Amino acid sequence: MNIGGKPWRTIWENPETGNVDVLDQRVLPHRVEVRALSDLATAAEAIRDMTVRGAPLIGATAGYGMWLAVRSVDEDRVDAAAAEARRVLDATRPTAVNLHWATRTVQARIAGAKDGNKRAAALECAREIVAQELDRSRRIGEHGLALIRDIAARKGGGPVQVLTHCNAGWLAAVDHGTATAPIYAAQAAGIALHVWVDETRPRNQGASLTAFELSEQGVPHSVIVDNAGGHLMRHGMVDLCIVGADRVAANGDAANKIGTYLKALAAHDNGVPFTVALPSSTIDFDLPTGDGIPIEERDPDEVRCIQGRFPDGSTGQVLLTPEASTARNWGFDVTPARLVTAFITERGVLAPSELATLRD
Amino acid sequence: MNIGGKPWRTIWENPETGNVDVLDQRVLPHRVEVRALSDLATAAEAIRDMTVRGAPLIGATAGYGMWLAVRSVDEDRVDAAAAEARRVLDATRPTAVNLHWATRTVQARIAGAKDGNKRAAALECAREIVAQELDRSRRIGEHGLALIRDIAARKGGGPVQVLTHCNAGWLAAVDHGTATAPIYAAQAAGIALHVWVDETRPRNQGASLTAFELSEQGVPHSVIVDNAGGHLMRHGMVDLCIVGADRVAANGDAANKIGTYLKALAAHDNGVPFTVALPSSTIDFDLPTGDGIPIEERDPDEVRCIQGRFPDGSTGQVLLTPEASTARNWGFDVTPARLVTAFITERGVLAPSELATLRD
């Protein structure tokens, strides 16, 4: 999608340097900066420090990270280096199932390749992961568009009001996004839309990333605090919630950014459809329910402080709490399947009870 | 309660200047500053710009504001000045029922006083409002203590885990607070407690004010983002929610800081008692349901920006969103009575259906 009127992606191979470049999402929306991934360490750090974030993009970065880890290794050491790279990458974000899927996929491709072809097989596999993500985002957009078209027809006037939480946008994917893919598809189809953007504390991915991409793409939107969605839904100001997911259990329990569960409760209480848009690779069929999803606890300073643009135009952090106060910071919560109206996947729109049909 | 080991109140008469002094709550927790209210304009501005906030403190400030508006007026002009002051003060915060109760009460006292006594009657009435608020906070603490004692006994070990939203603490009252009064009473009674403090965007009264007063008073607490409460409640980490209220309808629908409704939904979904602590003056028996409570929409820059302490120690605002993004900012939401377990008032603990017994 566009930044400054020009098409961008979140991750790409840089032919001049031979590295993999990524858009640094930690300094958005105030600055547009690119960071080079040159080896396993820089790829792992980019995932860990959230230079890149979002399930699909983490998967793509992990795929390239596997290649970066083996590209300069002697061919007879590639399998061992891949095993080590998988261990390092998997440890960066324990909740992200796409990460584990991507590293497993590349490792298997390397293991299956003949000697002499292993490094090339790693790159080919990383590229396929990117191509798959692009295709999935496009298909999620098509399936979600049908939902939005129905709502617009039923509403019979006025913009379709969509609420989203965190950033499951193109910045979380390679392009188009997951939760935003139906929004961009609807925009392209000429359907009037307005998006309520949850700011999504503590890291404010909504206020900084979703608002940025909607703004650059020209989609009408308003940023709201995470507290506001319940009020909006009680007053008929939301037609549809679309969120992403970091991991979904086989029964449809969905782990997503902390606070998603609260919005799902409000949607349920007010009869607003609550949908989760995701590539099917985010579904962990080995987990029967969401109780088994590990929820990472992150640095409390993400709560105690916040990043923004200072009056002089520079960016940095300000302290919000008393010096003496402690904070706690869980990254995700689990929305029970009973609160999810539908999953919008690249293979269609499914009720939680239908997820099992996606099992390969 | 204490700041720096010394007892403070939020509002007091300054015998040296003849003014009414208030603690400036906009610069907490980073600085402790006092602001003088010398006339109607400064009192109204202090309410409007949230130098003072919280239903009971707004009531006390409005009471003194009525006195400040008439204290220098010729005795035969006092009734007209009081009517004008009531109009000005009532317009500062339309949702705050205590404000309207206080201005009405002082105006009636002035109207009922004999010529020559009207200005003195205004001061006497403002002082009575303060004394009443102090007495109510103390009684709310006693009634809430009984609830916490029961939970501690049932739990049979470990601190009682209390979640609160926004600041209904002593900083929102004259002393002790409403939602915090049971907490301070339990602390004084030797009951082990830990408080989850919702930061409460957009103005972060939890992170800045509730955390400050708990810290200065030595109550164990952790600041969390507003998104976190649902996760905590799903994992049995909250024994009791206590929030304040800005206005409660006759049926028990409760208007409080935006986001309260989302926490009430999570409490209901997980069988956690959800209580609203309030002086009975906050109940508006003229309103049958919460549908009639006006919800003020505030400056969108409260969402687009946030105040904090810069690395150099100064305080100021940082921008969180893209320059081009708009924001919307409703101050309150209404929690339906069906989600409220009990109201903790100065006259006892009541179910929503029992509120009518408090009608005078």
Side-chain angles (χ1 to χ4, degrees):
Chain A
M1 311 307 288
N2 285 352
I3 298 177
K6 290 180 187 161
W8 277 69
R9 287 186 174 173
T10 54
I11 188 166
W12 63 96
E13 295 170 32
N14 183 327
E16 293 178 23
T17 62
N19 293 325
V20 175
D21 285 353
V22 294
L23 187 57
D24 187 343
Q25 307 205 12
R26 298 167 307 164
V27 297
L28 290 174
H30 308 296
R31 294 197 306 275
V32 177
E33 291 182 6
V34 171
R35 189 162 147 194
L37 312 183
S38 57
D39 54 17
L40 171 63
T42 49
E45 187 58 20
I47 298 172
R48 192 182 299 112
D49 70 10
M50 298 178 80
T51 298
V52 297
R53 16 71 53 210
L57 176 56
I58 287 173
T61 308
Y64 274 125
M66 292 292 289
W67 169 60
L68 292 170
V70 302
R71 66 168 171 169
S72 307
V73 167
D74 288 344
E75 190 75 15
D76 64 348
R77 291 272 306 128
V78 166
D79 283 306
E84 169 65 8
R86 182 175 168 193
R87 195 189 58 72
V88 169
L89 290 164
D90 281 0
T92 54
R93 297 289 303 276
T95 308
V97 70
N98 276 49
L99 166 60
H100 307 151
W101 169 82
T103 57
R104 189 170 65 238
T105 300
V106 180
Q107 190 188 20
R109 181 74 65 89
I110 291 170
K114 290 177 186 157
D115 281 348
N117 283 336
K118 287 182 181 289
R119 292 176 301 194
L123 178 58
E124 186 185 73
C125 188
R127 287 176 175 168
E128 283 176 19
I129 288 172
V130 167
Q132 276 177 24
E133 291 299 350
L134 285 169
D135 185 59
R136 284 170 180 162
S137 288
R138 192 182 54 74
R139 289 173 189 270
I140 289 168
E142 284 172 8
H143 293 300
L145 170 59
L147 276 183
I148 292 176
R149 214 189 278 282
D150 285 352
I151 291 169
R154 273 205 309 278
K155 197 169 179 180
V160 175
Q161 299 281 353
V162 179
L163 184 142
T164 189
H165 188 71
C166 199
N167 177 261
W170 75 264
L171 293 168
V174 179
D175 204 353
H176 298 288
T178 51
T180 54
I183 292 167
Y184 295 131
Q187 182 194 30
I191 298 172
L193 286 164
H194 171 264
V195 182
W196 298 107
V197 179
D198 275 2
E199 64 170 347
T200 320
R201 281 278 288 152
R203 292 181 68 95
N204 266 29
Q205 292 95 334
S208 58
L209 302 179
T210 304
F212 174 79
E213 60 175 81
L214 294 175
S215 181
E216 296 292 326
Q217 199 64 26
V219 177
H221 64 283
S222 302
V223 179
I224 52 173
V225 295
D226 302 308
N227 285 322
H231 175 74
L232 295 178
M233 290 192 242
R234 264 177 70 83
H235 287 80
M237 296 162 81
V238 180
D239 298 311
L240 174 67
C241 298
I242 314 179
V243 300
D246 289 78
R247 191 185 297 207
V248 172
N251 73 337
D253 291 350
N256 190 44
K257 184 62 53 189
I258 191 89
T260 302
Y261 165 52
L262 294 170
K263 294 307 147 58
L265 284 167
H268 188 261
D269 201 42
N270 294 287
V272 175
F274 189 88
T275 64
V276 179
L278 75 173
S280 57
S281 59
T282 308
I283 304 166
D284 186 347
F285 287 107
D286 295 337
L287 274 182
T289 75
D291 295 344
I293 300 176
I295 302 297
E296 62 180 297
E297 191 174 350
R298 298 181 55 85
D299 185 348
D301 278 351
E302 291 184 352
V303 176
R304 290 167 39 85
C305 303
I306 197 167
Q307 176 168 295
R309 198 184 74 184
F310 292 166
D312 69 3
S314 65
T315 56
Q317 296 222 322
V318 294
L319 177 68
L320 302 173
T321 64
E323 278 283 4
S325 291
T326 55
R328 298 289 295 275
N329 182 22
W330 288 272
F332 304 91
D333 60 20
V334 175
T335 297
R338 64 183 151 85
L339 301 178
V340 178
T341 311
F343 291 92
I344 306 171
T345 80
E346 80 280 11
R347 293 164 66 184
V349 177
L350 298 110
S353 60
E354 299 170 323
L355 279 189
T357 63
L358 298 182
R359 189 161 196 164
D360 291 323
Chain B
M1 310 306 289
N2 284 352
I3 298 178
K6 289 181 188 160
W8 277 69
R9 287 186 174 173
T10 53
I11 189 166
W12 63 94
E13 295 169 32
N14 183 327
E16 292 176 23
T17 62
N19 294 325
V20 174
D21 284 354
V22 294
L23 187 56
D24 187 343
Q25 306 205 12
R26 298 167 307 164
V27 297
L28 290 174
H30 308 296
R31 294 197 307 276
V32 177
E33 290 181 7
V34 171
R35 189 162 147 195
L37 312 183
S38 56
D39 54 18
L40 171 62
T42 50
E45 187 57 22
I47 297 171
R48 191 181 301 113
D49 71 10
M50 298 179 80
T51 299
V52 297
R53 15 71 54 207
L57 176 56
I58 287 172
T61 307
Y64 273 124
M66 292 292 288
W67 170 61
L68 291 169
V70 303
R71 65 169 172 168
S72 306
V73 165
D74 288 343
E75 191 74 16
D76 63 349
R77 292 272 307 130
V78 167
D79 283 304
E84 169 64 8
R86 183 176 168 192
R87 195 189 59 72
V88 169
L89 290 164
D90 281 0
T92 54
R93 297 290 301 277
T95 308
V97 70
N98 276 50
L99 166 60
H100 307 152
W101 168 82
T103 56
R104 189 170 66 239
T105 300
V106 179
Q107 189 188 19
R109 182 72 67 86
I110 290 170
K114 289 176 187 157
D115 281 349
N117 282 337
K118 285 180 182 292
R119 292 176 301 193
L123 178 58
E124 185 184 74
C125 188
R127 286 176 174 167
E128 282 175 19
I129 288 171
V130 167
Q132 276 177 24
E133 291 299 351
L134 285 168
D135 184 59
R136 284 170 180 162
S137 288
R138 192 181 54 74
R139 289 173 190 270
I140 289 168
E142 283 172 8
H143 292 300
L145 170 59
L147 276 183
I148 293 176
R149 213 189 277 284
D150 284 352
I151 291 169
R154 274 205 307 277
K155 196 171 179 179
V160 175
Q161 299 280 355
V162 179
L163 184 142
T164 190
H165 189 70
C166 198
N167 177 260
W170 75 265
L171 292 169
V174 178
D175 205 353
H176 299 288
T178 52
T180 54
I183 292 166
Y184 294 131
Q187 181 194 31
I191 298 171
L193 287 165
H194 171 265
V195 182
W196 298 108
V197 178
D198 276 1
E199 63 172 347
T200 319
R201 280 278 288 153
R203 292 183 66 95
N204 265 29
Q205 292 95 334
S208 57
L209 302 178
T210 303
F212 175 79
E213 61 175 80
L214 294 175
S215 182
E216 295 291 326
Q217 198 66 24
V219 176
H221 65 283
S222 303
V223 179
I224 51 174
V225 295
D226 302 308
N227 284 322
H231 175 74
L232 295 178
M233 290 192 243
R234 264 176 70 84
H235 288 80
M237 295 162 81
V238 179
D239 298 311
L240 174 67
C241 298
I242 315 180
V243 300
D246 290 78
R247 192 187 296 207
V248 172
N251 74 336
D253 290 350
N256 190 45
K257 185 60 52 189
I258 190 91
T260 301
Y261 166 52
L262 294 170
K263 296 307 149 59
L265 284 167
H268 188 260
D269 201 43
N270 294 285
V272 175
F274 190 88
T275 64
V276 179
L278 75 172
S280 57
S281 58
T282 308
I283 305 166
D284 185 347
F285 288 106
D286 294 337
L287 274 181
T289 76
D291 295 344
I293 299 176
I295 303 295
E296 62 179 298
E297 192 175 351
R298 299 180 55 85
D299 185 348
D301 277 351
E302 290 184 352
V303 175
R304 290 167 39 85
C305 303
I306 197 167
Q307 175 166 295
R309 197 185 73 185
F310 292 164
D312 68 3
S314 66
T315 56
Q317 296 221 323
V318 294
L319 176 68
L320 302 173
T321 64
E323 278 283 4
S325 291
T326 55
R328 299 288 296 273
N329 182 23
W330 289 272
F332 304 91
D333 61 19
V334 174
T335 298
R338 65 186 150 85
L339 302 176
V340 178
T341 312
F343 291 92
I344 307 171
T345 78
E346 80 279 11
R347 291 163 68 182
V349 176
L350 298 109
S353 60
E354 299 169 324
L355 278 190
T357 63
L358 297 182
R359 190 159 195 164
D360 291 324

